Structure formats: structure tokens, C-alpha cells
Amino acid sequence: CSLQADNREGLTCVSIQTFPCTRDILVTWTKGFKCSSVEGKDVVSMLRKSIKKRGDFDIDIVAVVNDTVGTMMTCGYDDHNCEVGLIVGTGTNACYMEEMRHIDLVEGDEGRMCINMEWGAFGDDGVLNDIRTEFDREIDMGSLNPGKQLFEKMISGMYMGELVRLILVKMAKEGLLFGGRLTPDLLTTGHFETRYVSAIEKAIQQLKGLQKAHEILTKLGLEPSHEDCVATHRICQIVSTRSANLCGATLAAVLRRIKENKGVDRLRSTVGVDGSVYKKHPHFARRLHKTVRKLLPDCEIRFVRSEDGSGKGAAMVTAVAYRLAAQHKARQKILEALKLSHEQLLEVKQRMRVEMEKGLGKETHAEAAVKMLPTYVCSTPDGTEKGDFLALDLGGTNFRVLLVRVRNGMRRGVEMHNKIYSIPVEIMQGTGEELFDHIVHCISDFLEYMGMKGVSLPLGFTFSFPCQQNNLDEGILLKWTKGFKATGCEGEDVVNLLKEAIHRREEFDLDVVAVVNDTVGTMMTCGYEDPYCEVGLIVGTGSNACYMEEMRNVELVEGEEGRMCVNMEWGAFGDNGCLDDIRTEFDVAVDELSLNPGKQRFEKMISGMYLGEIVRNILMDFTKRGLLFRGRISERLKTRGIFETKFLSQIESDCLALLQVRSILQHLGLETTCDDSIIVKEVCTVVARRAAQLCGAGMAAVVDKIRENRGLDFLKVTVGVDGTLYKLHPHFSTVMHETVKQLSPKCEVTFLQSEDGSGKGAALITAVACRIREAGQR
């Protein structure tokens, strides 16, 4: 054990395991140990139990370390090329640094991990039977664990002297030594010790070696002749040389594997070695080195003797473990602020409900953060709609123009053709005239593409930004979101801006029937398939929701009968400070450096435009604290927006190996380890899970309000959903659904994924409006 004081006034302990273990579970005893009721048990638990039973001191067991690993760690402290640990003493074993991609028992495929070989069991399956001798078999049969550790029994210090004794006995019985005379001592197991082999071979001059052999044989009750001493000396040489050669051959196999793993032409590596046989036998180390170099002529192998390798190495492992544990604790403390409890989520749900009421109220609407905007969408498709409609979909960096053909009767259905156009950043943040001229240019290109340049069609405009609607075809832009900043638009009717741009172009004319929020379009699209759909949700670049509210609660609009779809604009939830207790320093940093600081705070915690940036800020903080990437921040990681939200989806994909996570990080200029990749994956998981839970808490407030509006004990409702984050992230939808179920147990909520909801929905709303208009004219 290696001991050091810790901050609990107890002790830190590392158990040095010199027996085969998996996860601290003793697989089998070796080296003559045979204590009952230990094999198959957790040795750390047993040690802790004994310490507690004693009761006069306290120690914290941090790690269980094999002695070969300790040896490698000790030598690796001085020589960074050391990647193999070897013990040749009472027993024998080796460890080495293996590539993670080859270790199927452990998750991850990049970086390296130390493997405890337990090579003493080499040959237990019979692969060494052709070189095992009758003496090896006799030793094995007389051991405490026959059939096990066969390789160890051929080379280690516990058995070397016994091998020599058995050979001497056989030769004596055959009259080849000691005049055929045997003594009780020579016939007693263990009386010819391995240290005798070292002592006999140690003498520089052969005469002195023979004298030492004579002295040892005499102690065994023999009267050896000169020839007996020469023979004994030679037997010791043969046995110890075989041991060194076998050890060298297996070590060469390990080093050859390391060379092949690295794919280098010439391996330069260091082997850390400990053990009494290696250190005390006069020729063992030299013979071992010679064998390795003979078998690996294309490698430069250095051997470093460990000084108290197992104990010192274990202390070093403890130091590393303590450092890693402290770093893990520091990271978890930071991430804890992003992990929301059930009680916190219930509180978010309740606060959303309060803000919804404020937005609906005539007197409280002006200061409400969640605006609850009337959409003037009061009817859903009844199946009689038909005709061709043009739809525009503006809600992010991509703008779409669609031709939607609605058919009724037996051929009821919707056929769509669309084309996607990009909106450059300079136009998003230029003037309003430039933005709407660009939109009309895209419409012109689409009409020409479809061969419909001279046709005048009803148009539905999906405009996915906060608007105050006074009619279905009028939308006053309240504020830009999602990175848009075009001047001269806020406070203006976007339908008029579009019509003015169409007139400026003087190529075609369109009948703008409806301006529609993308959440409303999504709800209408799903409502075309499912009559229970009364809620729309978008979780993509931005986030928003809408639902069918009772007209009696929509105080901004005259009338008490029926229902109207309300565009919540819930992205602004928290702009009044009501979420400050759960916002973190990372949320604050993202908000302060955004184009609209202080606005859309809820959206900045849950939507695709911001999650990657939250993760980047956390990674930056971890790195500055030395908790990640070895404290080295790449220039690319310092760049805002460089960690895209799509990386979260890729990194959290269950089928994605850590090697691919590492390639994403390398793309950001980061030199990473396996642990770094695991940490980054955890950060992505925490950030995405919080986003899904917050989204679920908001949705729980919506469905509960619908249920209470109607005085129902139980509500069955469908939510139409669209958005890249919801669709592409591997776990977002599952976590969100679970959260809604937990927070709204009296609602059975079905989530229906919308296919092209915003564009198709705008056309359907336009179709409904045209149907109602035509009916009114008749």
C-alpha cells in the first residue's frame, strides 16, 4: 500500500494486486495463495470491511493496481517511452499499452489503455505442451492449482529452484549423480530454493561457482563429487536460461504487437521491469535482453529497472486517480446547474402558465413576455378545399417557394413542388427593401422554373417571426429573431412589404391571402391528417408553439364564441427575468453576445441556433480550468458559432463511435484523448437533455391549459411538430415526450411529426380562407 494524507484526516490507500482481477474481482489465486472464499469476490470490498472491522483508522481506497501496471507507471514517470511493464519474481506477468480500438470489452475506439496480460496462464489451453517437460508436469501436478499458470511455472522464481531439484532427483535415481544416493532433504519439495540457482551462477569464476554448488549440496545432506558440482552448475544454467528465453520470446510478441499497432518501421520503446529473479539472478536480465533483440532486430528496446515499482507506481496511479476524480467533481459541479429536477420543471411549467395568462389579457398584454398573438385562423380544413396555391416559407437562412395543389373528393390529397433558396447573411442583416427584393427574385425564378410566370395565384406567406395580426392577411413584425436584422421592417406590415417588392419588379401579381406563423402551418398540416391536432410546435433553428384557444380568453379580439389559434411566441419566455434562477453563466454569455441581447431567452436555452454555442462556452470554461483538452484552447474553439448544433446530434448518436467524436473535435483544431471525447459527449447530452426538458415543461403548460379550458378530467390531444432539432437529434424527442407525460399526467398527448408543415400549412390556410371567401361571396 502507498499512503498519503487526504483532506478528511484519513488515509489514501491503493491496493497492489498481484493476482488476476477483473473490476477488482479476484479471478484466481496464484503464487501459492489458496485462501478460501476470496476467488470471485471484490477484494476492495473485503479490504474495506476489514478496515472497518479494525476501527482504529480510516483510509480511502482509490484504485486497485496490478504490480506490472505499477512498475510501468513508475518507469514511465522517468521515461515517457515506457509502455510495457514486466515482473519476473516469485511469479511473472506483463502489461502494455494497447489501442482502444482493439479492446472489445471497453467502450471507445480511440486512445490507448493499459492491459494486464496475466500471461502466467499462457499454455493453460495446451498450446505449450510440445515444449513442456516431465519436470514441468510434475511441478504442476504437485502445485496448489494444477493445470493453471503453466507458463509461470516454467519461468518464475517460485518454481525455478524446484525444477532444478526434480532434475537432480531423477539423475540421482538413474545413477548419474551423487553415486545414486538420495537424501531426505533432496527429496523434500522446496528445499532447493531459487536463490540457490542465483548463488551458484553468480560466481565470476567457475571454480567459485562449483564451490558454492558443493556448499549447497552438502547442506542437503549430499556428498557431491567435483563432477556432481559441475553437473549441478550446468543444470542451473539450463533451467534459468530457458526461463529467460521463454520470457524474452513472449515479451518480443508483445513489443511486435505494439509496433504493428503503431504502424512504424522501427519501434523505439522502453520496458519497465521488476522482480527478484530479474534483479538478483546474475545472468537472467542479459539473456532476456539478448533474446528480445534477436527476435526483434528492427526495434530499439530499452530496459529500465524499477525501484519499488509496484508501490511507487500505485502511489502514482493514486495521484492520477485523485487528480482525475477532482477534475470530474469540478466538471460535475459546473454541469449540475444545467440538470433540472422534477420540482424545477414543474415550476417552469407553472411560470409558463402565468405568462400565457398575461399575454392573453388585454390589460397585461403590453408588458407580457409571452405575447400570445391572435392569428385569425379559426377554421381547419373540412375536405372541400381545392385549387393551386403558392406558398412562401421564411424562417431561417433558407427560403422556400412552393406550389401546392389541393385536391378534394375521391382524389383528396396535397401535391407539392418546391425550390429552396439561400438568404446570404448580408441580406439578412441589410435593409428591408433588399430582403424583400431578394424574396421576390426567388419567387420569379420559381414561377419561371414551373412554367407559370403569367399565372396569378392565391399566396400564403409563412413568416416565422413574432407578428401582431389584426387580420389573416396582415402581420406587423414586432421584432426580428434567429439572426435576422434587416432594417425598416420592425413595426411594419410584412404583407405590404412583400406587395411593394412585387410591384417594384413589375413581372407578375399575386393575391396574398394569409400571413402564417410556421407553428400554425405545422398545426394545420397535421390537422389535415389528425382531427385531434390542436397544437403546433417548432423546435429547429428557433422554437415556438401555437394552440387553439377559446375565443372568450383571447381578450385582444372581439367575440366569445368558438376558438382561435394563438401564436404563443414562447421564445421570449423569461425575457422578464422569470427564468433567471435556472439560467446559467453559459446562457448569459450566449445571450450577451447575440444579435438581440436580453430577448428570446427561452429560445436561446432550447433551440438549434444556440445549443452548440452553449456547449462551446462550457468546453471553453472546462479548458480554461484545465479540466479538458489538457488546458489547451484552439483558436477555432474561440470562434463563436464554430461548434454547430448538428455536432450535438452527431456526437450523441448511439451508433457513433468515440473515434468519430474525436474527428469532429479535431476539425475544431483540438488534440483530444479518449477521456476528452467522453467528456464532450457528456456535455452535449446535458445541454440537449435540458433543452428537451424545458421544451416539455412549456408544452405541458399548453396541454393542461387546453384541458382546463374545457373543464375536462382527461384530455386527448395531438401536437404537430416540425424542426430539425426535434427530427434529427437522436434523443431530444424521447426526453421531451417523457417530460410532458410526467408533468401532465391527465393528458394523453400524441406527437405527430409534420412533413413540410410550414409550407404546406400556409397553403392549406390559404385554401381554407379562399373557400370561406368564396362562400361569403355567394
Side-chain angles (χ1 to χ4, degrees):
C1 291
S2 171
L3 304 174
Q4 67 181 49
D6 78 356
N7 57 9
R8 289 175 296 176
E9 298 180 353
L11 297 170
T12 299
C13 171
V14 173
S15 175
I16 315 301
Q17 45 144 287
T18 58
F19 309 99
C21 288
T22 59
R23 296 185 183 179
D24 310 338
I25 306 298
L26 178 65
V27 176
T28 180
W29 281 119
T30 59
K31 306 168 197 167
F33 279 74
K34 204 66 176 177
C35 299
S36 61
S37 302
V38 181
E39 291 183 350
K41 299 292 182 63
D42 181 353
V43 294
V44 171
S45 295
M46 296 183 76
L47 178 56
R48 284 180 174 145
K49 186 176 180 181
S50 295
I51 292 168
K52 186 177 181 180
K53 183 178 179 181
R54 184 179 173 95
D56 57 350
F57 61 88
D58 179 31
I59 60 174
D60 180 19
I61 304 170
V62 174
V64 176
V65 184
N66 184 271
D67 51 356
T68 53
V69 181
T71 295
M72 184 188 73
M73 289 288 285
T74 300
C75 296
Y77 186 77
D78 298 315
D79 184 338
H80 293 172
N81 285 325
C82 185
E83 48 195 343
V84 181
L86 172 65
I87 301 284
V88 194
T90 305
T92 183
N93 192 16
C95 70
Y96 72 102
M97 297 303 293
E98 177 61 87
E99 303 298 313
M100 282 290 291
R101 64 180 183 272
H102 295 149
I103 309 172
D104 292 342
L105 297 178
V106 179
E107 182 188 357
D109 55 8
E110 52 90 15
R112 300 200 298 170
M113 179 182 285
C114 183
I115 292 291
N116 166 22
M117 293 181 66
E118 289 300 333
W119 79 3
F122 178 38
D124 288 6
D125 57 355
V127 296
L128 296 181
N129 285 353
D130 56 333
I131 65 169
R132 290 177 71 227
T133 66
E134 60 181 290
F135 309 109
D136 297 309
R137 285 189 283 273
E138 188 173 347
I139 279 183
D140 178 45
M141 293 304 295
S143 67
L144 291 170
N145 55 348
K148 297 180 181 179
Q149 300 296 109
L150 298 185
F151 186 62
E152 182 172 79
K153 290 168 182 173
M154 295 171 76
I155 66 174
S156 74
M158 186 169 185
Y159 304 98
M160 194 183 295
E162 184 63 9
L163 277 170
V164 171
R165 187 190 71 80
L166 291 174
I167 296 170
L168 294 178
V169 168
K170 181 174 176 64
M171 287 188 169
K173 285 181 177 178
E174 294 182 2
L176 301 175
L177 283 178
F178 315 130
R181 181 169 171 260
L182 295 168
T183 65
D185 281 324
L186 185 61
L187 290 170
T188 302
T189 300
H191 272 210
F192 197 100
E193 301 174 36
T194 297
R195 64 189 178 96
Y196 295 165
V197 179
S198 299
I200 289 171
E201 289 193 69
K202 188 175 182 180
I204 299 174
Q205 298 176 353
Q206 187 182 21
L207 180 59
K208 290 187 177 180
L210 296 180
Q211 290 174 346
K212 191 65 179 177
H214 188 277
E215 176 187 327
I216 290 168
L217 294 171
T218 301
K219 283 173 62 177
L220 297 175
L222 297 164
E223 297 177 0
S225 64
H226 175 76
E227 290 74 15
D228 291 336
C229 294
V230 170
T232 301
H233 187 276
R234 180 60 181 152
I235 291 167
C236 289
Q237 283 183 326
I238 291 170
V239 169
S240 63
T241 299
R242 184 187 73 152
S243 174
N245 288 344
L246 285 172
C247 194
T250 47
L251 183 59
V254 173
L255 293 163
R256 175 68 65 187
R257 180 173 179 84
I258 293 173
K259 179 178 181 292
E260 291 171 355
N261 283 345
K262 292 183 175 181
V264 295
D265 294 330
R266 190 170 185 83
L267 176 68
R268 292 179 175 83
S269 188
T270 299
V271 179
V273 198
D274 204 349
S276 55
V277 172
Y278 182 88
K279 288 182 173 180
K280 294 181 179 180
H281 191 281
H283 309 299
F284 187 94
R286 176 178 55 80
R287 292 169 185 161
L288 170 66
H289 302 168
K290 184 178 179 181
T291 301
V292 171
R293 285 165 184 149
K294 184 177 181 180
L295 295 175
L296 296 173
D298 52 352
C299 299
E300 293 180 20
I301 308 302
R302 182 170 180 250
F303 292 85
V304 175
R305 280 176 52 159
S306 167
E307 298 303 324
D308 189 31
S310 54
K312 182 178 176 182
M316 291 172 63
V317 171
T318 306
V320 171
Y322 246 57
R323 173 175 59 81
L324 294 177
Q327 290 178 344
H328 176 74
K329 186 176 180 181
R331 286 191 296 266
Q332 292 307 309
K333 184 177 181 181
I334 294 167
L335 292 178
E336 198 62 37
L338 290 108
K339 297 177 181 179
L340 302 177
S341 66
H342 180 73
E343 290 70 25
Q344 286 176 305
L345 291 170
L346 278 173
E347 183 63 28
V348 170
K349 173 190 169 184
Q350 182 58 36
R351 292 175 191 176
M352 176 68 85
R353 180 64 181 273
V354 170
E355 296 303 313
M356 290 169 71
E357 300 290 355
K358 287 181 182 178
L360 289 169
K362 196 169 186 178
E363 294 183 1
T364 53
H365 176 81
E367 68 267 16
V370 181
K371 286 300 182 184
M372 306 293 288
L373 304 171
T375 67
Y376 292 85
V377 173
C378 301
S379 299
T380 55
D382 65 2
T384 66
E385 295 81 11
K386 64 178 180 177
D388 292 351
F389 305 91
L390 207 60
L392 309 180
D393 183 5
L394 178 66
T397 54
N398 290 329
F399 167 64
R400 289 187 310 150
V401 186
L402 307 93
L403 174 65
V404 182
R405 291 192 164 112
V406 182
R407 300 288 179 261
N408 62 3
M410 294 293 292
R411 297 171 55 221
R412 181 177 184 268
V414 178
E415 176 189 333
M416 294 190 300
H417 304 273
N418 72 89
K419 197 171 180 183
I420 299 174
Y421 300 89
S422 65
I423 299 183
V425 174
E426 58 268 22
I427 290 179
M428 289 170 59
Q429 300 177 13
T431 67
E433 190 171 298
E434 289 170 340
L435 173 62
F436 280 90
D437 283 347
H438 179 75
I439 289 171
V440 172
H441 169 76
C442 296
I443 297 172
S444 176
D445 178 81
F446 179 75
L447 290 173
E448 189 171 330
Y449 169 74
M450 294 298 296
M452 303 178 68
K453 199 66 174 281
V455 180
S456 180
L457 295 174
L459 181 145
F461 188 7
T462 299
F463 189 73
S464 308
F465 302 92
C467 285
Q468 177 183 324
Q469 288 189 247
N470 299 317
N471 285 296
L472 186 60
D473 61 351
E474 178 185 337
I476 309 299
L477 176 63
L478 298 179
K479 59 185 175 183
W480 284 118
T481 58
K482 307 173 194 172
F484 279 74
K485 207 70 174 177
T487 59
C489 296
E490 293 183 348
E492 300 293 328
D493 178 5
V494 295
V495 173
N496 279 338
L497 294 175
L498 177 61
K499 287 179 176 178
E500 289 171 3
I502 291 171
H503 292 154
R504 280 195 299 273
R505 192 165 182 95
E506 296 182 343
E507 282 186 12
F508 53 85
D509 195 20
L510 297 170
D511 177 18
V512 184
V513 174
V515 59
V516 182
N517 184 272
D518 54 352
T519 52
V520 183
T522 295
M523 183 190 75
M524 289 292 282
T525 299
C526 294
Y528 188 74
E529 307 293 336
D530 182 345
Y532 285 101
C533 185
E534 300 185 77
V535 184
L537 171 66
I538 301 285
V539 195
T541 304
S543 182
N544 193 17
C546 70
Y547 71 102
M548 296 303 293
E549 179 58 88
E550 306 299 313
M551 279 292 293
R552 66 178 183 273
N553 296 331
V554 187
E555 296 183 7
L556 297 180
V557 179
E558 295 292 330
E560 295 285 320
E561 298 298 320
R563 295 170 186 152
M564 179 181 285
C565 182
V566 169
N567 166 21
M568 294 180 65
E569 288 300 334
W570 80 0
F573 179 39
D575 288 5
N576 58 359
C578 69
L579 294 180
D580 284 357
D581 58 330
I582 65 168
R583 290 175 77 226
T584 67
E585 59 183 292
F586 310 110
D587 299 307
V588 172
V590 168
D591 178 39
E592 288 178 346
L593 293 175
S594 67
L595 290 171
N596 54 348
K599 298 178 180 179
Q600 299 296 108
R601 290 182 175 178
F602 189 58
E603 182 173 78
K604 288 169 184 172
M605 297 170 78
I606 66 176
S607 75
M609 188 168 184
Y610 303 99
L611 295 192
E613 186 63 7
I614 294 172
V615 169
R616 187 188 71 85
N617 276 273
I618 296 171
L619 300 185
M620 286 276 291
D621 183 71
F622 279 5
T623 309
K624 287 176 182 177
R625 296 170 185 262
L627 305 175
L628 188 63
F629 305 139
R630 301 183 183 89
R632 300 169 190 161
I633 302 176
S634 72
E635 288 302 315
R636 296 203 68 188
L637 189 61
K638 294 178 184 177
T639 307
R640 283 180 56 231
I642 198 70
F643 198 100
E644 301 174 48
T645 296
K646 68 176 182 180
F647 293 161
L648 274 76
S649 298
Q650 293 170 1
I651 286 172
E652 282 205 74
S653 294
D654 292 330
C655 60
L656 190 67
L658 290 177
L659 184 62
Q660 291 166 281
V661 177
R662 191 177 187 183
S663 71
I664 291 172
L665 298 176
Q666 286 174 337
H667 167 70
L668 301 177
L670 297 162
E671 288 297 323
T672 65
T673 65
C674 177
D675 286 342
D676 290 334
S677 298
I678 293 170
I679 292 164
V680 170
K681 189 171 184 179
E682 181 185 11
V683 172
C684 291
T685 299
V686 169
V687 171
R689 181 174 179 81
R690 183 189 68 156
Q693 289 177 322
L694 286 172
C695 195
M699 187 49 58
V702 173
V703 296
D704 261 357
K705 180 161 179 30
I706 294 173
R707 181 182 62 80
E708 292 173 18
N709 282 346
R710 300 174 190 178
L712 299 174
D713 293 328
F714 189 80
L715 173 71
K716 181 177 180 180
V717 67
T718 297
V719 178
V721 197
D722 205 349
T724 51
L725 184 60
Y726 180 89
K727 288 182 174 180
L728 300 180
H729 191 281
H731 309 301
F732 188 96
S733 60
T734 302
V735 174
M736 190 189 84
H737 299 170
E738 289 173 352
T739 304
V740 174
K741 188 174 182 179
Q742 290 168 3
L743 300 182
S744 296
K746 295 181 180 180
C747 297
E748 181 186 324
V749 184
T750 301
F751 291 87
L752 179 59
Q753 192 165 297
S754 166
E755 296 303 324
D756 193 39
S758 52
K760 181 178 175 182
L764 286 168
I765 291 169
T766 303
V768 171
C770 288
R771 169 174 60 81
I772 294 172
R773 185 168 62 183
E774 289 171 5
Q777 291 172 351
R778 288 198 295 269

